[in-house]
Amino acid sequence: MTRYVVQRKLTIEEFEEAKARGSEIHGSLNEVEETYWRHLLSREKDFQTLYGNDLEFSSFGSKETCSNQWNLRRLSKLSGGLLKYTSYDIPGVVRPYSYVGSQFSTFCWHVEDDLLYSINYLHDGSSKVWYAVPGDRFEQFEGIYQSTFPRLSKHHGIEKKTSMMDPSILVEAGIPVCKLEQKSREFVVTFPKAYHAGFNCGINYAEAVNFADDSWLSFGEAAYLRNKANKIVPTIPFVQTVIRAADSFWSGDLNKRFQALSSVTRRECRARSEFRLKFHNVRRSSKRDWFQSSLCYCDNCKEFLYLSVVRIKRSVHKAQDVFLCLDCAIKDKDKPCLKIEYFEQFSDNALRMKVMTLRKLIAVYRTYKFKI
């Protein structure tokens, strides 16, 4: 099944009135689920439903419940969380999105942006039915999706969240599928690389947000490299998050932060060495006046530019300047240009010093724990 979306603006009252004019299916959970799939897999006619999704408001209070650690509005800011190290208050990721569902409104198969964790809270109303696949079957799931929806996977990709696949197809292929019913006032947590989908059994109200702790860093790096290779704009500035988390010495898993920082530093220093070799006449700029944007992506691979930026002037018009990461600038070497400028957030030595400092802190921490 492919989902087609027609956007309409409705108040909550108008939403409920519109659904009241329809006819909901009542019965046990199994009966509702069977009806859902029968409608979905039927080729006789399309069926329509209403779904208010990605709404930028929250029913969790900002002050009166600030001491509650289950408050989704403050989840990303809790101790041990990594999203507090990003510079951007991203709706739906750092701040919760709300969802008003109706019977058979569907959230299609997907993983979270940048392979983040997610948490969904059902405030009130009818149940949600969830289907989920373990993260270790990530590649196998994508292979089956591509063979089931070859045209969609070629032109849109599964990240568009437009396709609903019968879980029985996955089970027949040997992929385990977890099914659960989320009732009112219950939380559901999804894990990195775990594809999930589902539908609403009736009118309900939920909200969800992403989060990440140090266990996410290896998944975050995989998502960062995958986004870069496929030219997908990332949601989280992964490198910036790693650098800032590594500078925070008093919380989190320092070993995982050290591994992520070491990997980022090795990759960056290797790219810088190759860049300097091929652009030996280009000097590093000590000023960042020409780079005013606080949120800049590589014009080619869409990587968030943080540790280093290359600006290529192809004409006298500033609007035509091209901003590239080091890897893309190296590949772009033979194209004509008027001027090339290069900026580093930190020197090579400063990056290596961050790695060394974290290594020493881990050694001190281990000794301290041993003595206790």
Side-chain angles (χ1 to χ4, degrees), residues 60-79:
F60 285 99
S62 57
K63 294 181 179 179
E64 65 272 15
T65 56
C66 62
S67 61
N68 185 351
Q69 293 190 348
W70 289 97
N71 183 342
L72 299 193
R73 292 185 64 171
R74 63 188 299 269
L75 187 65
S76 63
K77 307 298 182 183
L78 294 179
S79 175

Side-chain angles (χ1 to χ4, degrees), residues 211-231:
F211 67 96
D213 63 5
D214 293 304
S215 67
W216 167 79
L217 285 169
S218 59
F219 298 106
E221 183 172 22
Y224 161 77
L225 296 174
R226 176 184 169 102
N227 289 339
K228 186 176 172 69
N230 293 304
K231 299 182 179 181

